[in-house]
């Protein structure tokens, strides 16, 4: 008699997703990065490609020991220019009382983020979520990918990122009204936020705890089973 399938926390990933956090060793992470990034070297060029590796290593170090369950980067193109968008997923458990996604987003900002707009949106499955457009500095908790992670400083000679244009979507997990998933997408160019919003909301719509991968919109890309919160 086979054992029952184990529930997992599933995170949908868009095409081209380069995972940062969900590996049990740096060696496995490095191999994944090479597999995903090297095919784009000719398009990005050597300098941008090497800088991307530096950023991936710094990001992995920054998320170690934080509540982030999955973090990734996507190399894309906006107006015929290469762009690298970064994403992260965290889960917050609200033990009792009324769930307030807006307060959750504001708490995650710390003191160095500015909320430009907040509105309710409807995900593809009909659930209501909160979406915020935010400007972050790299030193803010969400900008550095975790409350306890050190800010990532640029190498000598690199142009520092002064601000990050960020879209955040917060929504309760299906069937778990007091487990909220917070999906963050960031770009060095704040003008990318409306484009980021489509990806962030799709990730939020497919994130769930269960024995099977997400259905629907999440099947457009990969799905990544990662360790969820205690008790998930």
């Amino acid at each position: 008699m086979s054992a029952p399938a184990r529930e997992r926390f599933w995170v949908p990933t868009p095409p081209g997703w380069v995972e940062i956090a969900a590996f049990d060793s740096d060696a496995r992470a490095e191999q994944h990065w090479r597999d995903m990034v090297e095919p784009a070297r000719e398009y990005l060029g050597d300098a941008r490609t090497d800088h991307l590796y530096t950023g991936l290593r710094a990001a992995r170090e920054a998320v170690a020991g934080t509540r982030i369950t999955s973090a990734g980067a996507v190399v894309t193109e906006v107006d015929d220019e290469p762009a690298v968008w970064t994403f992260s997923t965290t889960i917050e458990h609200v033990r009792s009382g009324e769930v307030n996604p807006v307060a959750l987003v504001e708490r995650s900002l710390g003191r160095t983020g500015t909320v430009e707009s907040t509105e309710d949106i409807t995900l593809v499955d009909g659930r209501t979520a909160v979406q915020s457009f935010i400007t972050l500095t790299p030193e803010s908790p969400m900008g550095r990918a975790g409350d306890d992670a050190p800010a990532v400083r640029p190498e000598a000679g690199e142009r520092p990122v002064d601000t990050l244009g960020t879209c955040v979507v917060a929504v309760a997990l299906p069937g778990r009204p007091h487990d909220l998933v917070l999906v963050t997408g960031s770009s060095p160019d704040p003008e990318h936020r409306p484009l980021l919003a489509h990806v962030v909301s799709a990730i939020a719509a497919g994130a769930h705890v269960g024995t099977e991968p997400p259905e629907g919109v999440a099947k457009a890309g990969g799905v990544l089973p990662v360790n969820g919160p205690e008790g998930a």
Side-chain angles (χ1 to χ4, degrees), residues 12-68:
T13 58
W17 180 274
V18 183
E19 176 59 29
I20 296 168
F23 296 101
D24 58 6
S25 71
D26 290 343
R28 288 187 62 190
E30 290 278 351
Q31 183 59 56
H32 171 71
W33 298 341
R34 285 193 293 272
D35 291 344
M36 297 297 295
V37 173
E38 284 305 315
R41 180 180 286 274
E42 184 176 356
Y43 170 66
L44 292 174
D46 289 339
R48 278 179 169 157
T49 301
D50 293 342
H51 181 61
L52 178 55
Y53 280 124
T54 299
L56 290 168
R57 293 180 185 112
R60 180 167 171 80
E61 182 179 354
V63 301
T66 71
R67 294 190 307 273
I68 288 178

Side-chain angles (χ1 to χ4, degrees), residues 3 15 17 19 24 26 40 49-50 60 77 83 87 95-96 103 114 122 124 142 149 153-154 159 174 184 187 200 217:
W17 180 274
E19 176 59 29
D24 58 6
D26 290 343
T49 301
D50 293 342
R60 180 167 171 80
E77 185 177 271
F87 301 89
R95 296 190 179 279
S96 62
T114 302
T122 302
V124 293
M142 292 168 67
R153 301 294 181 182
R159 184 177 68 86
T184 303
S187 169
V200 172
V217 65

Side-chain angles (χ1 to χ4, degrees), residues 89-157:
T89 304
T90 60
I91 291 180
E92 293 282 348
H93 180 70
V94 182
R95 296 190 179 279
S96 62
E98 183 177 352
V99 175
N100 188 341
V102 175
L104 172 65
V105 171
E106 291 176 347
R107 188 180 73 191
S108 300
L109 285 174
R111 298 180 179 178
T112 53
T114 302
V115 178
E116 309 291 344
S117 66
T118 297
E119 62 179 334
D120 289 344
I121 62 171
T122 302
L123 300 181
V124 293
D125 59 2
R127 284 180 296 153
T128 298
V130 170
Q131 175 183 281
S132 296
F133 282 0
I134 298 167
T135 299
L136 297 175
T137 66
E139 289 77 17
S140 65
M142 292 168 67
R144 67 178 187 249
D147 288 346
D148 302 319
V152 177
R153 301 294 181 182
E155 299 289 340

Side-chain angles (χ1 to χ4, degrees), residues 10-14 17 85-89 119-133 166-174 181-186 192-208 214-220:
W10 297 87
V11 177
T13 58
W17 180 274
W85 294 347
T86 56
F87 301 89
S88 66
T89 304
E119 62 179 334
D120 289 344
I121 62 171
T122 302
L123 300 181
V124 293
D125 59 2
R127 284 180 296 153
T128 298
V130 170
Q131 175 183 281
S132 296
F133 282 0
T166 299
C167 173
V168 181
V169 170
V171 66
L173 289 172
V181 62
L182 193 73
V183 181
T184 303
S186 296
H192 292 175
R193 284 181 296 197
L195 299 173
L196 278 170
H198 294 289
V199 182
V200 172
S201 61
I203 295 173
H208 77 283
E215 297 289 338
V217 65
K219 283 194 168 183

